[in-house]
Amino acid sequence: MHRRRRTALSVSAALVVAAPLLAACGGEAHPGAAAVVGGDRIETAALQAQVREVRAAQEASPQADQLIRATGDLSREKLNGMIFDRVVEEVAAEAGITVSRKEVQETRRAAARQYGGDAQLAAMLLQQQGIAPDEIDAVVRRNVLMNKIADRHGASNTPEGQQKLTRLFTAASKSLDIDVNPRYGTWDDAKIQLGRYQAPWLRQVTQDPGAAPEAL
């Protein structure tokens, strides 16, 4: 089934948590890791770097206090996104789906036009989703991958299509044997999210993966 090509970001990230950072994952099993996904470590230092980038961008904004208050759970938010990215990559790899640099650039330009320019797009993503400017391309890439996954599997905006996509992501999540530092909670394969944390893109995956974009 051919679906209308979406030029906006339909499944971008908007998660959050400022929990203390730990240097261990699953007790002392993986020192220095915030999580281990498919045998690959997500280093605590990499997580901290993402948090710092967002905080720096927020502090440079005229709405700094408001933005920082709205993303009080930023560490967990970013870890949730880093893990979810790997689940998306796993689903895409199993389906032989790839995304080119050209596709990322074209999708970002289309989204920027929609919001009045790249600066306006960046400001909106920072304000609404806690995304730093340097993270935008990664968010665009994730969105393009997820749209392709939905198209490849015929996951239309129906309960059946939604359930099919949820099964795909849950199976991929389980196959990656995700182990999270207990300070951040535990990964829920069925809900495809970190602990009780509910990110907007995950609501779309588990409820309405084919819906029109809300944020971008």
Side-chain angles (χ1 to χ4, degrees):
M1 175 170 56
H2 295 287
R3 297 169 52 83
R4 176 176 60 85
R5 180 172 295 279
R6 292 176 286 275
T7 57
L9 304 188
S10 63
V11 279
S12 351
L15 4 272
V16 269
V17 167
L21 298 177
L22 254 208
C25 177
E28 294 300 321
H30 308 289
V36 177
V37 183
D40 294 329
R41 296 160 57 91
I42 296 178
E43 300 291 348
T44 301
L47 173 60
Q48 290 174 322
Q50 284 205 9
V51 172
R52 285 195 299 269
E53 287 179 4
V54 174
R55 289 299 186 218
Q58 289 173 333
E59 289 168 0
S61 169
Q63 295 84 34
D65 290 344
Q66 177 184 348
L67 294 177
I68 292 171
R69 283 197 303 271
T71 52
D73 289 340
L74 192 56
S75 296
R76 281 188 68 207
E77 169 189 339
K78 289 303 173 186
L79 181 57
N80 196 83
M82 294 168 85
I83 296 172
F84 186 69
D85 277 345
R86 285 157 175 78
V87 176
V88 174
E89 293 285 352
E90 181 71 10
V91 175
E94 290 175 356
I97 294 170
T98 60
V99 174
S100 69
R101 178 64 182 165
K102 181 179 180 181
E103 288 176 294
V104 172
Q105 292 172 336
E106 289 177 347
T107 303
R108 178 169 178 168
R109 283 195 295 267
R113 286 194 298 270
Q114 180 180 345
Y115 285 89
D118 204 60
Q120 289 83 355
L121 173 64
M124 183 278 294
L125 287 174
L126 178 64
Q127 179 178 0
Q128 296 186 10
Q129 303 182 23
I131 295 169
D134 288 347
E135 298 172 337
I136 295 176
D137 279 355
V139 172
V140 174
R141 185 177 187 280
R142 176 201 300 144
N143 178 81
V144 176
L145 275 176
M146 291 186 69
N147 285 338
K148 284 188 171 186
I149 290 167
D151 288 346
R152 174 69 60 85
H153 293 282
S156 59
N157 185 18
T158 64
E160 294 77 13
Q162 295 163 29
Q163 291 167 9
K164 182 176 183 179
L165 205 57
T166 299
R167 288 194 296 269
L168 286 169
F169 277 80
T170 295
S173 181
K174 289 180 178 178
S175 74
L176 291 171
D177 191 23
I178 298 167
D179 180 17
V180 177
N181 183 314
R183 275 295 173 92
Y184 302 104
T186 56
W187 183 260
D188 189 324
D189 291 317
K191 294 182 178 180
I192 325 166
Q193 67 181 36
L194 181 61
R196 297 177 181 176
Y197 188 75
Q198 180 74 346
W201 82 56
L202 299 179
R203 289 196 291 271
Q204 290 191 10
V205 170
T206 59
Q207 297 178 18
D208 193 2
E214 294 180 359
L216 222 13

Coordinates of all heavy atoms in Angstrom, one line a residue, residues 12-90:
S12 N 9.0 12.3 16.4 CA 10.2 12.9 17.1 C 10.1 12.7 18.6 O 9.1 12.3 19.1 CB 10.3 14.4 16.8 OG 9.4 14.8 15.9
A13 N 11.2 13.0 19.3 CA 11.3 12.7 20.7 C 10.8 13.9 21.6 O 11.1 15.0 21.3 CB 12.7 12.4 21.0
A14 N 10.2 13.6 22.7 CA 9.8 14.6 23.7 C 9.8 14.0 25.1 O 8.8 14.0 25.7 CB 8.5 15.2 23.3
L15 N 10.9 13.5 25.6 CA 10.9 12.7 26.8 C 11.7 13.6 27.9 O 12.3 14.5 27.5 CB 11.6 11.4 26.7 CG 12.2 11.1 25.3 CD1 11.3 10.5 24.4 CD2 13.1 12.1 24.8
V16 N 11.8 13.1 29.2 CA 12.5 13.9 30.2 C 12.7 13.3 31.6 O 11.8 12.6 32.0 CB 11.7 15.3 30.4 CG1 12.3 16.3 29.5 CG2 10.3 15.1 30.2
V17 N 13.9 13.5 32.3 CA 14.2 13.1 33.7 C 15.5 13.5 34.2 O 16.5 13.2 33.6 CB 14.1 11.6 33.9 CG1 14.7 11.2 35.2 CG2 12.7 11.1 33.8
A18 N 15.7 14.2 35.3 CA 16.9 14.7 35.8 C 17.4 13.8 37.0 O 17.6 14.3 38.1 CB 16.9 16.1 36.2
A19 N 17.4 12.5 36.8 CA 17.8 11.6 37.9 C 19.3 11.6 38.0 O 20.0 11.9 37.1 CB 17.3 10.2 37.6
P20 N 19.9 11.3 39.2 CA 21.3 11.3 39.4 C 21.9 10.3 38.4 O 21.4 9.2 38.2 CB 21.5 10.8 40.8 CG 20.2 11.2 41.5 CD 19.1 11.0 40.4
L21 N 23.1 10.6 37.9 CA 23.8 9.7 37.0 C 24.6 8.7 37.8 O 25.3 9.1 38.7 CB 24.7 10.5 36.0 CG 23.9 11.5 35.2 CD1 24.9 12.3 34.3 CD2 22.9 10.8 34.3
L22 N 24.6 7.4 37.4 CA 25.3 6.4 38.0 C 26.5 5.9 37.1 O 26.4 6.0 35.9 CB 24.4 5.2 38.3 CG 24.0 5.0 39.8 CD1 23.7 3.5 40.0 CD2 25.0 5.4 40.8
A23 N 27.4 5.3 37.7 CA 28.5 4.7 36.9 C 28.4 3.2 36.8 O 29.4 2.5 36.5 CB 29.9 5.1 37.5
A24 N 27.3 2.7 37.0 CA 27.1 1.2 36.9 C 25.8 0.9 36.3 O 24.8 1.7 36.3 CB 27.2 0.6 38.3
C25 N 25.7 -0.2 35.6 CA 24.4 -0.7 35.0 C 24.1 -2.1 35.5 O 24.9 -2.9 35.4 CB 24.6 -0.7 33.5 SG 23.1 -1.3 32.6
G26 N 22.9 -2.2 36.1 CA 22.5 -3.5 36.6 C 23.5 -3.9 37.7 O 24.0 -5.0 37.8
G27 N 23.6 -3.0 38.7 CA 24.6 -3.2 39.8 C 26.0 -2.9 39.3 O 26.2 -1.8 38.9
E28 N 26.9 -3.9 39.4 CA 28.2 -3.6 39.0 C 28.6 -4.4 37.7 O 29.7 -4.6 37.4 CB 29.2 -4.0 40.1 CG 29.1 -3.2 41.3 CD 29.4 -1.7 41.0 OE1 30.3 -1.5 40.2 OE2 28.8 -0.8 41.6
A29 N 27.5 -4.9 37.0 CA 27.8 -5.8 35.9 C 28.4 -5.0 34.7 O 29.2 -5.6 34.0 CB 26.4 -6.4 35.5
H30 N 28.0 -3.8 34.6 CA 28.5 -3.0 33.4 C 29.0 -1.6 33.9 O 28.3 -0.6 33.7 CB 27.4 -2.8 32.4 CG 26.8 -4.1 32.0 ND1 27.4 -5.1 31.2 CD2 25.5 -4.6 32.2 CE1 26.6 -6.1 31.0 NE2 25.5 -5.9 31.6
P31 N 30.1 -1.5 34.6 CA 30.6 -0.3 35.1 C 30.7 0.8 34.0 O 31.2 0.5 32.9 CB 32.0 -0.6 35.6 CG 31.9 -2.1 35.9 CD 31.0 -2.6 34.9
G32 N 30.2 2.0 34.3 CA 30.3 3.1 33.3 C 29.2 3.2 32.3 O 29.2 4.1 31.5
A33 N 28.3 2.2 32.3 CA 27.2 2.2 31.3 C 25.9 2.6 31.9 O 25.6 2.2 33.0 CB 27.1 0.8 30.7
A34 N 25.2 3.4 31.2 CA 23.8 3.7 31.6 C 22.8 2.6 31.2 O 21.8 2.4 31.8 CB 23.4 5.0 31.0
A35 N 23.2 1.9 30.1 CA 22.4 0.8 29.6 C 23.3 -0.1 28.7 O 24.3 0.4 28.1 CB 21.1 1.2 28.9
V36 N 22.9 -1.3 28.5 CA 23.5 -2.2 27.5 C 22.4 -2.7 26.6 O 21.4 -3.3 27.1 CB 24.2 -3.3 28.2 CG1 24.8 -4.3 27.1 CG2 25.3 -2.8 29.1
V37 N 22.5 -2.5 25.3 CA 21.5 -2.8 24.3 C 22.1 -3.7 23.2 O 23.0 -3.3 22.5 CB 20.9 -1.5 23.7 CG1 19.7 -1.9 22.8 CG2 20.3 -0.6 24.8
G38 N 21.6 -4.9 23.1 CA 22.2 -5.8 22.1 C 23.6 -6.0 22.3 O 24.4 -6.2 21.3
G39 N 24.1 -6.0 23.5 CA 25.5 -6.2 23.8 C 26.4 -4.9 23.7 O 27.5 -4.9 24.0
D40 N 25.8 -3.8 23.2 CA 26.5 -2.6 23.0 C 26.1 -1.6 24.2 O 25.0 -1.5 24.6 CB 26.1 -1.9 21.7 CG 26.5 -2.7 20.5 OD1 27.6 -3.4 20.6 OD2 25.8 -2.6 19.5
R41 N 27.2 -1.0 24.7 CA 27.0 -0.1 25.8 C 26.6 1.3 25.4 O 27.0 1.8 24.5 CB 28.3 0.0 26.6 CG 28.8 -1.3 27.2 CD 30.3 -1.3 27.5 NE 30.7 -0.2 28.4 CZ 30.7 -0.3 29.7 NH1 30.4 -1.5 30.3 NH2 31.1 0.7 30.5
I42 N 25.7 1.8 26.2 CA 25.4 3.3 26.2 C 26.1 3.9 27.4 O 25.7 3.7 28.5 CB 23.9 3.6 26.2 CG1 23.1 3.0 25.0 CG2 23.6 5.1 26.3 CD1 21.6 3.2 25.0
E43 N 27.2 4.5 27.1 CA 28.0 5.0 28.2 C 27.3 6.1 28.9 O 26.7 7.0 28.3 CB 29.4 5.5 27.6 CG 30.2 4.4 26.9 CD 30.7 3.3 27.9 OE1 30.6 3.5 29.1 OE2 31.2 2.3 27.4
T44 N 27.6 6.1 30.2 CA 27.0 7.2 31.1 C 27.6 8.6 30.6 O 26.9 9.6 30.5 CB 27.4 7.0 32.5 OG1 26.9 5.8 33.0 CG2 26.9 8.1 33.4
A45 N 28.8 8.6 30.1 CA 29.4 9.8 29.6 C 28.7 10.3 28.4 O 28.5 11.5 28.2 CB 30.9 9.6 29.3
A46 N 28.3 9.4 27.5 CA 27.5 9.8 26.3 C 26.2 10.4 26.7 O 25.7 11.3 26.1 CB 27.4 8.6 25.3
L47 N 25.5 9.8 27.7 CA 24.2 10.3 28.1 C 24.4 11.7 28.7 O 23.6 12.6 28.4 CB 23.7 9.3 29.2 CG 22.4 9.8 29.9 CD1 21.3 10.0 28.9 CD2 22.0 8.7 31.0
Q48 N 25.4 11.8 29.6 CA 25.7 13.1 30.2 C 25.9 14.2 29.1 O 25.5 15.4 29.3 CB 26.8 13.0 31.1 CG 26.6 12.2 32.4 CD 27.8 12.0 33.2 OE1 28.9 11.8 32.7 NE2 27.6 12.1 34.5
A49 N 26.6 13.8 28.0 CA 26.9 14.8 27.0 C 25.6 15.3 26.3 O 25.5 16.5 26.0 CB 27.8 14.1 25.9
Q50 N 24.7 14.4 26.1 CA 23.4 14.8 25.5 C 22.7 15.7 26.4 O 22.1 16.7 26.0 CB 22.6 13.6 25.1 CG 23.0 12.8 23.9 CD 21.8 12.1 23.3 OE1 20.7 12.2 23.7 NE2 22.2 11.2 22.3
V51 N 22.7 15.4 27.7 CA 22.0 16.3 28.7 C 22.6 17.7 28.7 O 21.9 18.7 28.7 CB 22.1 15.6 30.1 CG1 21.5 16.6 31.1 CG2 21.2 14.3 30.1
R52 N 24.0 17.7 28.7 CA 24.6 19.0 28.7 C 24.3 19.8 27.4 O 24.1 21.0 27.5 CB 26.2 18.8 28.8 CG 26.6 18.4 30.2 CD 28.1 18.5 30.3 NE 28.9 17.7 29.3 CZ 29.3 16.5 29.6 NH1 29.0 15.9 30.8 NH2 30.0 15.8 28.7
E53 N 24.2 19.2 26.3 CA 23.9 19.9 25.1 C 22.5 20.5 25.1 O 22.3 21.7 24.7 CB 24.0 18.9 23.9 CG 25.4 18.5 23.4 CD 25.4 17.6 22.3 OE1 24.3 17.3 21.8 OE2 26.5 17.1 21.9
V54 N 21.6 19.8 25.6 CA 20.2 20.4 25.8 C 20.2 21.5 26.8 O 19.6 22.5 26.5 CB 19.2 19.3 26.2 CG1 17.8 19.9 26.5 CG2 19.1 18.2 25.1
R55 N 20.8 21.3 27.9 CA 20.9 22.3 29.0 C 21.5 23.6 28.4 O 21.1 24.7 28.7 CB 21.6 21.8 30.2 CG 20.8 20.8 31.0 CD 19.5 21.3 31.5 NE 18.8 20.3 32.4 CZ 17.5 20.1 32.4 NH1 16.7 20.8 31.5 NH2 17.0 19.3 33.2
A56 N 22.6 23.4 27.7 CA 23.3 24.6 27.2 C 22.4 25.4 26.2 O 22.3 26.6 26.2 CB 24.6 24.2 26.4
A57 N 21.7 24.7 25.3 CA 20.8 25.3 24.4 C 19.6 26.0 25.2 O 19.2 27.1 24.8 CB 20.2 24.3 23.4
Q58 N 19.1 25.3 26.2 CA 18.0 25.9 27.0 C 18.5 27.2 27.7 O 17.8 28.2 27.7 CB 17.5 24.9 28.0 CG 16.7 23.7 27.4 CD 16.4 22.7 28.4 OE1 17.1 22.5 29.4 NE2 15.3 22.0 28.2
E59 N 19.7 27.1 28.3 CA 20.2 28.3 29.0 C 20.4 29.5 28.1 O 20.4 30.6 28.5 CB 21.5 27.9 29.7 CG 21.2 27.0 30.9 CD 22.5 26.3 31.5 OE1 23.6 26.6 30.9 OE2 22.4 25.6 32.4
A60 N 20.6 29.2 26.8 CA 20.9 30.3 25.9 C 19.5 30.9 25.4 O 19.5 31.9 24.6 CB 21.7 29.8 24.7
S61 N 18.4 30.3 25.7 CA 17.1 30.8 25.3 C 16.6 31.8 26.2 O 16.8 31.8 27.4 CB 16.2 29.6 25.2 OG 14.8 30.0 25.0
P62 N 15.8 32.8 25.6 CA 15.1 33.8 26.5 C 14.1 33.1 27.5 O 13.8 33.7 28.5 CB 14.4 34.7 25.5 CG 15.1 34.5 24.2 CD 15.6 33.1 24.2
Q63 N 13.7 31.9 27.1 CA 12.8 31.2 28.0 C 13.5 30.1 28.8 O 12.9 29.1 29.1 CB 11.6 30.5 27.2 CG 10.7 31.5 26.5 CD 11.2 31.9 25.2 OE1 11.9 31.2 24.5 NE2 11.0 33.2 24.8
A64 N 14.7 30.4 29.2 CA 15.6 29.4 29.8 C 14.9 28.8 31.1 O 14.8 27.5 31.2 CB 16.9 30.0 30.2
D65 N 14.4 29.5 32.0 CA 13.9 29.0 33.2 C 12.7 28.1 32.9 O 12.6 27.0 33.5 CB 13.4 30.1 34.2 CG 14.6 30.9 34.7 OD1 15.7 30.4 34.7 OD2 14.4 32.0 35.3
Q66 N 11.8 28.5 32.0 CA 10.6 27.7 31.7 C 11.0 26.4 31.0 O 10.5 25.4 31.3 CB 9.7 28.5 30.7 CG 8.5 27.8 30.2 CD 7.7 28.6 29.2 OE1 7.9 29.8 29.1 NE2 6.8 27.9 28.5
L67 N 12.0 26.5 30.1 CA 12.4 25.3 29.4 C 13.1 24.3 30.3 O 12.8 23.1 30.2 CB 13.4 25.6 28.3 CG 12.9 26.5 27.1 CD1 14.0 26.8 26.1 CD2 11.8 25.7 26.4
I68 N 13.9 24.7 31.2 CA 14.6 23.8 32.2 C 13.6 23.2 33.1 O 13.6 22.0 33.4 CB 15.7 24.6 32.9 CG1 16.8 25.0 32.0 CG2 16.2 23.7 34.1 CD1 17.8 25.9 32.5
R69 N 12.6 24.0 33.6 CA 11.6 23.4 34.5 C 10.8 22.3 33.8 O 10.4 21.3 34.4 CB 10.7 24.5 35.0 CG 11.2 25.4 36.1 CD 10.1 26.1 36.8 NE 9.4 27.0 35.9 CZ 9.7 28.2 35.6 NH1 10.7 28.8 36.1 NH2 8.9 28.9 34.7
A70 N 10.5 22.6 32.5 CA 9.7 21.6 31.7 C 10.4 20.3 31.4 O 9.8 19.3 31.0 CB 9.2 22.3 30.4
T71 N 11.7 20.3 31.6 CA 12.5 19.1 31.3 C 13.3 18.7 32.5 O 14.5 18.5 32.5 CB 13.5 19.3 30.1 OG1 14.3 20.5 30.3 CG2 12.7 19.5 28.8
G72 N 12.6 18.5 33.6 CA 13.2 18.1 34.9 C 13.8 16.7 34.9 O 14.7 16.4 35.6
D73 N 13.2 15.8 34.0 CA 13.7 14.4 34.0 C 14.5 14.2 32.7 O 14.4 13.2 32.1 CB 12.4 13.5 33.9 CG 11.7 13.5 35.2 OD1 12.3 13.8 36.2 OD2 10.5 13.1 35.2
L74 N 15.4 15.1 32.4 CA 16.1 15.1 31.2 C 17.0 13.9 31.0 O 17.2 13.3 29.9 CB 16.9 16.4 31.0 CG 17.5 16.6 29.6 CD1 16.5 16.6 28.6 CD2 18.3 18.0 29.6
S75 N 17.7 13.4 32.1 CA 18.6 12.3 32.0 C 17.8 11.0 31.5 O 18.2 10.3 30.6 CB 19.3 12.0 33.3 OG 20.1 13.1 33.6
R76 N 16.7 10.7 32.2 CA 15.9 9.6 31.8 C 15.3 9.8 30.4 O 15.2 8.8 29.6 CB 14.8 9.3 32.8 CG 15.3 8.6 34.0 CD 14.1 8.2 34.9 NE 13.3 7.2 34.3 CZ 12.0 7.0 34.6 NH1 11.4 7.8 35.4 NH2 11.4 6.0 34.0
E77 N 14.9 11.0 30.1 CA 14.4 11.3 28.7 C 15.4 10.9 27.7 O 15.1 10.2 26.7 CB 14.0 12.8 28.6 CG 13.7 13.2 27.2 CD 13.6 14.7 27.1 OE1 13.3 15.4 28.1 OE2 13.7 15.2 26.0
K78 N 16.6 11.4 27.9 CA 17.6 11.1 26.9 C 18.0 9.6 26.8 O 18.2 9.1 25.7 CB 18.9 12.0 27.1 CG 18.6 13.5 26.9 CD 18.2 13.7 25.4 CE 17.8 15.1 25.1 NZ 17.2 15.2 23.8
L79 N 18.1 9.0 27.9 CA 18.4 7.6 27.9 C 17.3 6.8 27.2 O 17.5 5.9 26.4 CB 18.6 7.0 29.3 CG 19.0 5.5 29.4 CD1 20.2 5.2 28.6 CD2 19.1 5.1 30.9
N80 N 16.0 7.2 27.5 CA 14.9 6.5 26.8 C 15.0 6.7 25.3 O 14.8 5.7 24.6 CB 13.6 7.2 27.3 CG 12.4 6.4 27.0 OD1 12.0 5.5 27.7 ND2 11.7 6.7 25.9
G81 N 15.4 7.9 24.9 CA 15.6 8.1 23.4 C 16.7 7.3 22.8 O 16.6 6.8 21.7
M82 N 17.8 7.2 23.5 CA 19.0 6.5 23.0 C 18.7 5.0 22.9 O 19.1 4.4 21.9 CB 20.2 6.7 24.0 CG 20.7 8.2 24.0 SD 21.8 8.6 25.3 CE 23.4 8.1 24.5
I83 N 18.0 4.5 23.9 CA 17.6 3.0 23.8 C 16.6 2.8 22.6 O 16.7 1.9 21.8 CB 17.0 2.5 25.1 CG1 18.1 2.6 26.2 CG2 16.5 1.1 25.0 CD1 17.5 2.3 27.6
F84 N 15.6 3.7 22.6 CA 14.6 3.5 21.5 C 15.2 3.6 20.1 O 14.7 2.9 19.2 CB 13.5 4.6 21.7 CG 12.3 4.4 20.8 CD1 11.5 3.3 21.0 CD2 12.1 5.3 19.8 CE1 10.4 3.1 20.1 CE2 11.0 5.1 18.9 CZ 10.1 4.0 19.1
D85 N 16.1 4.5 20.0 CA 16.8 4.6 18.7 C 17.4 3.3 18.2 O 17.3 2.9 17.1 CB 18.0 5.6 18.7 CG 17.5 7.0 18.5 OD1 16.3 7.2 18.1 OD2 18.3 8.0 18.8
R86 N 17.9 2.5 19.2 CA 18.5 1.2 18.9 C 17.5 0.2 18.5 O 17.7 -0.7 17.7 CB 19.4 0.8 20.0 CG 20.7 1.5 20.1 CD 21.4 1.5 21.5 NE 22.7 2.2 21.5 CZ 22.9 3.5 21.4 NH1 21.8 4.3 21.4 NH2 24.1 4.0 21.5
V87 N 16.3 0.3 19.2 CA 15.2 -0.6 18.8 C 14.7 -0.3 17.4 O 14.5 -1.2 16.6 CB 14.0 -0.4 19.8 CG1 12.8 -1.3 19.4 CG2 14.5 -0.8 21.2
V88 N 14.6 1.0 17.1 CA 14.2 1.4 15.7 C 15.2 0.8 14.7 O 14.8 0.3 13.6 CB 14.1 2.9 15.6 CG1 13.8 3.3 14.1 CG2 12.9 3.4 16.5
E89 N 16.5 1.0 15.0 CA 17.5 0.5 14.1 C 17.4 -1.0 13.9 O 17.6 -1.5 12.8 CB 18.9 0.9 14.6 CG 19.2 2.4 14.6 CD 19.5 3.0 13.3 OE1 19.6 2.2 12.3 OE2 19.6 4.2 13.2
E90 N 17.1 -1.7 14.9 CA 17.0 -3.2 14.8 C 15.8 -3.6 14.0 O 15.9 -4.4 13.1 CB 16.8 -3.8 16.3 CG 16.6 -5.3 16.3 CD 17.9 -6.0 16.0 OE1 19.0 -5.4 15.9 OE2 17.9 -7.2 15.8

